[in-house]
Amino acid sequence: MEESPRGRGRQVRSRKARDLKGGIALRDTIYRAALEGISDAAGKLHIGPESLREAVRVEPSGFTVIFTVDASDSMGSVERLAAAKGAALYLLSQAYVRRLKVGMVVFRGESAYTVLEPTSSLSLVRRQLAALSIGEATPLAAGLVKSRELALQVLDRDGSGTALIAVLTDGEANVPLTRGRMTHEELYEMAPSLVHPRIRYLFLDTSPGEPGALIRRLAAQTGGRYLHLNTGESGDLIKALKGQKG
């Protein structure tokens, strides 16, 4: 774990005093002075600068879930939208139990946008999911880039935190970042640049029938997990999210 730059959090060790940003490590300071046998003329323990120890502290590392939701026209079927919302609500329940922060990015049309900055108020996320409207094209690349940007903002504020980007889509990407590029080719080329040591990916494929090759390959390229959601039974959906076999 990284040392808190603000000198906050729990003490994990002590060291010779520098700037006392983390405060005095009193027990270790007394121990050091006693070990060195430094006392005054009256025999009282003397604690001088050479014995002073300061606390090295770390703050709790946070974990943030960023829902990256496909709100394009192809997600407009009842089954696909229900699968996406069902998966999000399940993950949201896990976030509530573990006291995680959750944010949301939506992509459709020509771009992606943050609809909710990471928050511990999960009722706000529920309301955003309930109000989700569907339409237009599928700019999956823009959604991935926007989500990574949001995750990096979170990680910049928390030096030891991690983020999970949960992508909910049917994989029918048809809008590239660069006009004129082949959508799938561009996604495969950009996937390695999405990788970050403190960002994990979960791709939830809502496509009907056979699993989509695009989403499966993106999961592999980013070191993420891929799940093809069963849109028929909520029980099967939860089993899939838990990594169980149906």
Side-chain angles (χ1 to χ4, degrees), residues 113-230:
Y113 49 96
T114 300
V115 298
L116 190 66
E117 295 283 341
T119 176
S120 55
S121 177
L122 302 186
S123 61
L124 291 176
V125 187
R126 288 180 180 274
R127 286 202 289 272
Q128 288 290 346
L129 280 171
L132 190 64
S133 58
I134 300 297
E136 304 179 81
T138 311
L140 177 56
L144 293 172
V145 170
K146 174 64 73 174
S147 297
R148 188 177 187 276
E149 289 175 356
L150 182 57
L152 290 177
Q153 290 172 20
V154 172
L155 298 182
D156 283 344
R157 296 191 294 266
D158 183 352
S160 57
T162 54
L164 170 68
I165 295 177
V167 185
L168 299 95
T169 181
D170 58 11
E172 296 189 11
N174 53 21
V175 179
L177 282 174
T178 304
R179 191 175 297 276
R181 288 295 307 275
M182 296 293 291
T183 307
H184 288 207
E185 179 183 272
E186 182 186 57
L187 281 164
Y188 296 147
E189 286 184 8
M190 69 174 283
S193 69
L194 299 173
V195 177
H196 187 280
R198 292 195 285 140
I199 298 177
R200 292 159 47 195
Y201 290 89
L202 172 62
F203 288 85
L204 301 172
D205 185 352
T206 65
S207 62
E210 292 298 316
L214 169 65
I215 306 304
R216 186 185 291 277
R217 182 168 170 180
L218 289 177
Q221 287 184 288
T222 56
R225 187 176 181 190
Y226 170 89
L227 290 173
H228 185 235
L229 300 181
N230 185 326

Side-chain angles (χ1 to χ4, degrees), residues 1-12 21-23 55-60:
M1 299 179 70
E2 296 183 10
E3 179 184 348
S4 168
R6 299 175 293 181
R8 299 178 183 176
R10 64 182 177 89
Q11 179 180 333
V12 293
K21 182 170 52 182
V56 177
R57 302 181 182 277
V58 296
E59 297 182 67

Side-chain angles (χ1 to χ4, degrees), residues 51-66:
S51 303
L52 199 60
R53 307 285 292 180
E54 69 178 8
V56 177
R57 302 181 182 277
V58 296
E59 297 182 67
S61 58
F63 188 80
T64 302
V65 179
I66 298 174

